[in-house]
Amino acid sequence: MAVPGPAVPDVPYGIKEIAMSAPKVAVVSAFEAKLQPILAASAAGALRSAGAEVAAWDADVCPNDFPSGDFDLVLISIPSYEGIETGAQVASQFKLAGARRVLVCGQYAWLNAGVLASLTDGVVVDEPEGMTEPLLAFARGEVTADQVDGIFTGEGTRPKPKRRVARDWQLPARDLFPPIANYPEHCTKFGLLGNIEATRGCHHRCSYCAVYAAYGVAAIPVDSGMVLADAAQLAGQGARHFAFVDAEFFNTRRHALNAMEAVADRLGPVTFELTTRFDHILEFEAEINQMTGLGLRVITSALEFPSERVLQVFDKGIDVPGIKKAIRAAKAAGVELRPTFITFTPWVTLAEIQALEDFLDETGIAGWVDHTARQTRLLLFKGSPLLDSPWLDGVTLIDRGFYYDWVHPDPAVDELWAQRRQEAVEAGATRCCVRC
């Protein structure tokens, strides 16, 4: 039986009127995979709970809704690569509009801290939910950015707080953003999707991954009660299918599973999807079978490419026979497996790419793979651990600002990628995951 979520003020998303002495803060999402932005909503909820007057803006989905106001602080969330340029442009917009202070946060802000600090007042290099008091002191002008632990400025940084410490998690301020029904990506075959998170970061070392580059091997649990409360308020917006958008659902053995059990018990019947590595499909086979009884319907997992060499480069912790075994385990559990790929890398041959279709047919997952997987090209973002890897020795790299392009030694591979990329653009499918 569905249970209504916690009460929120019956007012349109935007600025909430509270005490006149409260600092005025705008929280902006640059890009969060076309979903209602949970990371920006979480930061907004924490700052509002700490006493700020908060407005919010999804600059990607609602680009024309630039918020007006005399803001003491603007905090721009850049968790995804696609948001870097938007975030930089939005920072300039707010500066021109008279915002007193502009900061950026999120893993791709951390990875591009040098450039973004030169365009803003600084880069928040930790979760803002753990920094609300110093952030509001900065908003009030009581301290400068370089006096705040965890803000990187163009002149240096104070010592960073430890990301493993407990956070004062507050309910994400989803009421400041358009309802999830207004976001096309929330409409699924299982019903309206609610995006929730049980952890941030990841305990893996996948060499291409921005989560590993930004967090190292740290995994930060979100308070379980807050996960349930967030799911409840999403249910109040109509969500019946919940996607755990954690980079790795099994960052711990039980934390996210406990959250899923609580959501299923409180709000069920509902359905779920999650993201995990292929090796965990085997390691947590019993738990996955348990979760199908709770409503688990979809597992997204990074297969990358069925090549021992590529799996070794990416440090995936599994080999090709293991991947085939994991596919069989997922099918036996009755869940839909949505594999993601990095089909185009400097280490694959044209023949191997063309043989990928045989692998998909052999394993019976061809119907689960979309245009995105067939055209995904390795992104060498600034800060990628691969840039220091000997695997790139001899590979031609071209500096493109926020990333390095690479040239395959066989021109036919790059030509095939250009063709498939165009097909994916025409199909409207060019992104493979939420967090990486």
Side-chain angles (χ1 to χ4, degrees), residues 180-181 183 186-188 190-194 234 237-242:
I180 58 175
Y183 289 79
H186 279 268
C187 300
T188 77
F190 301 104
L192 205 56
L193 177 148
L234 285 165
Q237 293 189 27
R240 304 305 301 155
H241 177 68
F242 293 94

Side-chain angles (χ1 to χ4, degrees), residues 325-385:
K325 186 177 179 181
I327 291 172
R328 292 194 294 270
K331 288 182 175 180
V335 299
E336 177 183 334
L337 183 63
R338 292 180 183 169
T340 64
F341 293 79
I342 303 179
T343 303
F344 291 86
T345 70
W347 309 287
V348 295
T349 66
L350 183 64
E352 286 175 321
I353 294 172
Q354 292 169 335
L356 175 60
E357 297 300 324
D358 294 333
F359 174 86
L360 299 179
D361 289 336
E362 174 194 345
T363 54
I365 61 173
W368 293 341
V369 180
D370 62 19
H371 287 282
T372 303
R374 290 175 167 86
Q375 62 84 35
T376 305
R377 182 181 178 91
L378 174 67
L379 173 63
L380 290 174
F381 53 88
K382 295 293 179 71
S384 171

Side-chain angles (χ1 to χ4, degrees), residues 303-421:
L303 192 155
E304 310 310 9
F305 197 83
S307 157
E308 302 294 359
R309 181 173 62 258
V310 172
L311 293 173
Q312 182 183 3
V313 172
F314 289 165
D315 196 11
K316 295 304 296 184
I318 198 169
D319 55 15
V320 175
I323 285 176
K324 293 179 178 179
K325 186 177 179 181
I327 291 172
R328 292 194 294 270
K331 288 182 175 180
V335 299
E336 177 183 334
L337 183 63
R338 292 180 183 169
T340 64
F341 293 79
I342 303 179
T343 303
F344 291 86
T345 70
W347 309 287
V348 295
T349 66
L350 183 64
E352 286 175 321
I353 294 172
Q354 292 169 335
L356 175 60
E357 297 300 324
D358 294 333
F359 174 86
L360 299 179
D361 289 336
E362 174 194 345
T363 54
I365 61 173
W368 293 341
V369 180
D370 62 19
H371 287 282
T372 303
R374 290 175 167 86
Q375 62 84 35
T376 305
R377 182 181 178 91
L378 174 67
L379 173 63
L380 290 174
F381 53 88
K382 295 293 179 71
S384 171
L386 276 174
L387 293 172
D388 296 323
S389 164
W391 291 105
L392 284 176
D393 290 350
V395 177
T396 300
L397 301 180
I398 304 169
D399 192 331
R400 301 293 191 191
F402 291 115
Y403 74 101
Y404 289 97
D405 201 357
W406 51 268
V407 179
H408 198 281
D410 181 357
V413 172
D414 285 337
E415 291 172 5
L416 179 60
W417 172 76
Q419 174 189 331
R420 290 193 178 179
R421 172 69 177 181

Side-chain angles (χ1 to χ4, degrees), residues 16-64:
K16 308 300 177 186
E17 293 189 354
I18 57 177
M20 291 297 293
S21 60
K24 296 181 179 179
V25 178
V27 177
V28 180
S29 173
F31 182 90
E32 266 196 56
K34 302 294 183 182
L35 298 171
Q36 188 189 68
I38 182 174
L39 297 177
S42 181
L47 290 165
R48 186 167 65 182
S49 178
E53 178 182 344
V54 181
W57 177 36
D58 188 334
D60 173 59
V61 174
C62 307
N64 297 322

Side-chain angles (χ1 to χ4, degrees), residues 104 182 189 259 341:
V104 292
N182 291 22
K189 65 182 181 181
F341 293 79

